[in-house]
Amino acid sequence: MSEPHRFVLTGGPGSGKSTLVAALAEAGMRTFEEAGRAILRLQDAIGGPAHAGRDPAAYAEAMLQWDMRSFAEAARNDGPTVFDRGVPDTIGYLRLIGRPVPPHMERAARLFRYAEPVFVAPPWRDIYVQDAERTHGWDLAVATHNEVRAVYVELGYAIAELPLADVGTRVRFILDHCNVTDF
């Protein structure tokens, strides 16, 4: 079910993904926020169990559901869409924390296919910062990058690594690689 013009941006935390997605949205492109951070905020607000610190399996299921819903919602848009992470990122998360990947998640990653290339934001120490939701260190950010990138490669995606450059350059890089001239 590969969707043309449904692009995913992935990589480790603190590599500039969310800033780039916000810049793409500001430029007029349809975007979807990262499931993980949104779910953490919502679960914290209600004291819910689907939180990485309380129940990683429930958190992974919530991320999968969020990303599948976002994918389906994007089908209503004729123009290009960029997702801050995608369905395969949940597999990377589970592998990173040493948890088994349920077969339904593998099936979802093969069924919900994004357009190519998949954009990967490499680790970038100069911009990496910790915050209220990103409490882990640099080494975990690099490990996350390696794990999620590997999942996309295993799924047969072509990868386009973002340059370590300012946001405007990264926006142009994505637009050029998407063959997007007007959206």
Side-chain angles (χ1 to χ4, degrees), residues 1 13 17-18 37 56 64 75 152 161 178:
M1 158 185 349
K17 292 180 312 301
S18 296
R37 279 185 162 232
L64 176 65
Y152 282 94
E161 291 242 348
C178 294

Side-chain angles (χ1 to χ4, degrees), residues 47-120:
H51 191 286
R54 293 189 280 275
D55 187 343
Y59 176 60
E61 289 294 339
M63 286 191 296
L64 176 65
Q65 294 303 315
W66 182 289
D67 287 332
M68 290 189 312
R69 181 210 42 89
S70 296
F71 188 94
E73 188 176 320
R76 291 186 250 150
N77 181 33
D78 290 334
T81 302
V82 174
F83 299 86
D84 189 342
R85 301 196 179 277
V87 171
D89 283 78
T90 301
I91 294 171
Y93 165 71
L94 288 172
R95 289 181 182 177
L96 183 71
I97 64 169
R99 296 288 179 104
V101 177
H104 71 277
M105 287 190 185
E106 294 279 354
R107 285 191 300 275
R110 294 187 189 292
L111 181 63
F112 291 84
R113 299 275 309 171
Y114 299 89
E116 294 185 60
V118 166
F119 297 99
V120 178

Side-chain angles (χ1 to χ4, degrees), residues 17-18 25 30 34 39-41 53 66 71 74 84 100 112 120 123 128 130-131 138 152 160 167:
K17 292 180 312 301
S18 296
R30 177 82 188 268
E34 176 186 354
I39 290 165
L40 290 174
R41 282 192 305 272
W66 182 289
F71 188 94
D84 189 342
F112 291 84
V120 178
Y128 182 81
Q130 292 175 297
D131 60 27
W138 173 252
Y152 282 94
V167 175

Side-chain angles (χ1 to χ4, degrees), residues 13-58:
S15 57
K17 292 180 312 301
S18 296
T19 299
L20 179 54
V21 169
L24 289 163
E26 191 173 302
M29 186 176 275
R30 177 82 188 268
T31 62
F32 284 87
E33 74 174 309
E34 176 186 354
R37 279 185 162 232
I39 290 165
L40 290 174
R41 282 192 305 272
L42 293 169
Q43 291 296 301
D44 280 342
I46 65 169
H51 191 286
R54 293 189 280 275
D55 187 343

Side-chain angles (χ1 to χ4, degrees), residues 12-19 37 123-139 141:
S15 57
K17 292 180 312 301
S18 296
T19 299
R37 279 185 162 232
W124 190 359
R125 190 179 282 280
D126 290 349
I127 65 168
Y128 182 81
V129 294
Q130 292 175 297
D131 60 27
E133 294 167 339
R134 184 184 304 123
T135 58
H136 41 71
W138 173 252
D139 291 341

